[in-house]
Amino acid sequence: PGQTIGIIGGTGSGKTTLVNLIPRLYDAAGGKVLLDGVETAAYDLTSLRQAIGVVPQKAVLFKGTIRQNLLWGNASATDDELWEALTIAQAKEVVEGKDNQLDAPVEQGGVNFSGGQRQRLTIARALVGEPEILILDDSASALDFATDAALRRAIAKFSAERGNRMTTIIVSQRANTVRYADQIVVLDDGKAAGIGTHEQLLESCQIYREIYWSQNERQEAVAQKGGER
């Protein structure tokens, strides 16, 4: 509890499969998935899923209003709680810019919002439920790096203010998105190729090094060139 776990790997490495085992979207064919030392299969399915907020790769909004979409996370949430979740998810300005704000219409699938706006609204919906485990499955891929970083800081603050009870699992193909996680799991063909901090994995895991430097080499070179001036 209170930790942020990053999961990174190439396309098809098993990232989404791994996190979908936690809320039992399907069950493990072999081995066990333990939550607080207890097999997830032993939990009441409804109670288990109520404790877990999953934001999928493809942001899904339902036809209705912004308020109705957010209340899927917690039907009894107050307006103050909705606005808090929107602020953490970096979606407050999106809603403030709409006529009727919380009661602004949402078309089926959220087609009247951009990809990044849909992602932020689905993250807010998950936060409204104050989950014990928050799973962000590549759900910031449409956000720019500054918004992504602000989102991660706000979620960490949200968890800390609640006594660090929430575990955050971030799935991403961006090394910089998981870089500051307490632990990073590097997946390759369904197996953990490395587990550790960013610094540890740069030293010990070739796959992580390749991912990191392929995404950052050019930026590092530009930064160094600027520093030489």
Side-chain angles (χ1 to χ4, degrees):
Q3 285 199 333
T4 296
I5 307 301
I7 299 176
I8 193 168
T11 302
S13 60
K15 302 184 297 296
T16 296
T17 300
L18 176 61
V19 295
N20 281 349
L21 290 169
I22 302 171
R24 291 185 62 199
L25 297 186
Y26 39 77
D27 288 321
K32 299 177 181 178
V33 180
L34 304 179
L35 181 59
D36 286 336
V38 178
E39 277 194 70
T40 52
Y43 285 87
D44 172 72
L45 191 57
T46 300
S47 300
L48 176 69
R49 290 181 178 172
Q50 284 176 344
I52 301 170
V54 180
V55 184
Q57 286 175 304
K58 184 178 180 182
V60 178
L61 295 176
F62 308 106
K63 184 174 176 62
T65 65
I66 292 173
R67 184 196 305 276
Q68 289 170 334
N69 270 271
L70 295 178
L71 289 174
W72 276 91
N74 176 8
S76 60
T78 64
D79 279 10
D80 285 345
E81 289 169 334
L82 298 184
W83 280 112
E84 181 187 25
L86 289 166
T87 301
I88 295 165
Q90 311 302 304
K92 183 182 178 184
E93 291 182 0
V94 174
V95 179
E96 286 179 334
K98 296 285 185 182
D99 293 337
N100 300 319
Q101 298 193 353
L102 285 172
D103 294 309
V106 178
E107 298 298 327
Q108 186 65 42
V111 294
N112 54 326
F113 293 86
S114 71
Q117 290 171 341
R118 287 196 298 271
Q119 286 188 334
R120 283 176 275 175
L121 288 171
T122 54
I123 292 168
R125 181 171 61 204
L127 289 168
V128 167
E130 295 196 8
E132 293 176 34
I133 299 174
L134 176 65
I135 299 173
L136 304 176
D137 186 3
D138 212 11
S139 51
S141 58
L143 305 184
D144 60 64
F145 286 106
T147 304
D148 183 15
L151 170 67
R152 285 182 277 113
R153 287 194 298 270
I155 288 174
K157 183 180 178 184
F158 173 77
S159 177
E161 288 173 348
R162 281 152 182 76
N164 284 322
R165 296 193 306 271
M166 185 174 78
T167 304
T168 305
I169 299 175
I170 301 176
V171 176
S172 182
Q173 295 193 47
R174 292 178 180 174
N176 284 335
T177 296
V178 301
R179 177 174 182 169
Y180 298 104
D182 297 288
Q183 291 282 299
I184 302 168
V185 180
V186 184
L187 287 184
D188 181 43
D189 194 24
K191 296 179 181 179
I195 300 175
T197 64
H198 169 73
E199 290 77 14
Q200 289 169 342
L201 291 170
L202 281 181
E203 289 285 332
S204 65
C205 182
Q206 182 179 350
I207 292 173
Y208 186 77
R209 277 198 301 272
E210 289 173 355
I211 293 172
Y212 179 76
W213 287 114
S214 69
Q215 296 173 1
N216 289 276
E217 202 158 21
R218 185 180 174 192
Q219 290 174 283
E220 296 277 345
V222 170
Q224 286 179 358
K225 191 173 181 180
E228 288 169 2
R229 291 176 185 171

